[in-house]
Amino acid sequence: MKIAISSDHGGFELKEFVVRLLNDLGHEPLDLGCHSIEPVDYPDYASQVARRVLQGEAERGILICGTGLGMSIAANRFHGIRATLVNDLYLARMSREHTDSNILVLGGRVTAKGLAEEIVRVWLKTEFAGNRHSRRLEKIAAIEEDIPGNC
Ligand code: RB5
């Protein structure tokens, strides 16, 4: 799977680890930076990944900042992005099954590498369950389109 990935300085170290993991798992990471621990602004990097996913250049994305909070807020500004901040395995599964997460967000200062690896593995392999969950995601899309009478 082609996966766009980026981080700010707070997520740089974990991002490097996840890029290696994706390669080892046979995926195709598109590493959009950052490339050092020099301070940068996470919205710049969230935008890069969100745009690649929306344009179909990558099937899914992964974003990592210090906490995962800023990246989540920024990425979810893009209509069609369902960015989910995940810090345990239950959320990794549910973010895919129920909310069809197309961007996984991790906190580089929150989640250790061993757990992050398991989260990434579960998030990559879990399918969206559809059915009633599709209806709910359609309602989120309606909010994005600002369709009156919806929600
Ligand atoms: C950067 O210091 C930090 O604010 C950022 O990585 C992130 O945690 C923001 O939500």
Side-chain angles (χ1 to χ4, degrees):
M1 196 188 304
K2 190 152 184 183
I3 299 164
I5 179 166
S6 75
S7 73
D8 73 354
H9 52 291
F12 171 71
E13 200 187 313
L14 185 59
K15 189 261 291 172
E16 297 292 292
F17 174 82
V18 173
V19 168
R20 282 195 298 275
L21 172 66
L22 293 172
N23 277 314
D24 290 348
L25 293 175
H27 293 285
E28 210 184 324
L30 173 63
D31 185 352
L32 298 165
C34 63
H35 298 293
S36 76
I37 55 166
E38 197 65 34
V40 293
D41 298 333
Y42 58 79
D44 299 336
Y45 292 86
S47 307
Q48 291 288 326
V49 165
R51 288 187 208 286
R52 296 310 202 289
V53 171
L54 290 173
Q55 288 162 0
E57 225 179 287
E59 208 173 311
R60 292 198 219 157
I62 297 179
L63 291 170
I64 311 175
C65 61
T67 58
L69 295 169
M71 284 294 202
S72 302
I73 293 168
N76 280 314
R77 288 293 185 274
F78 288 80
H79 292 181
I81 291 298
R82 294 174 300 280
T84 51
L85 174 56
V86 170
N87 50 29
D88 67 32
L89 295 178
Y90 178 70
L91 293 178
R93 181 163 68 84
M94 298 305 277
S95 71
R96 290 285 311 137
E97 273 187 19
H98 284 197
T99 46
D100 197 17
S101 164
N102 53 11
I103 294 187
L104 170 67
V105 186
L106 297 168
R109 296 173 184 154
V110 178
T111 303
K113 291 193 181 84
L115 178 56
E117 173 168 347
E118 295 308 312
I119 288 171
V120 168
R121 284 175 182 269
V122 169
W123 182 79
L124 286 172
K125 73 173 184 212
T126 305
E127 297 295 331
F128 176 49
N131 296 314
R132 67 187 185 282
H133 305 296
S134 301
R135 183 181 69 242
R136 291 162 187 164
L137 295 186
E138 280 160 20
K139 290 192 176 190
I140 292 176
I143 293 170
E144 289 174 341
E145 298 303 320
D146 200 18
I147 298 171
N150 274 304
C151 307

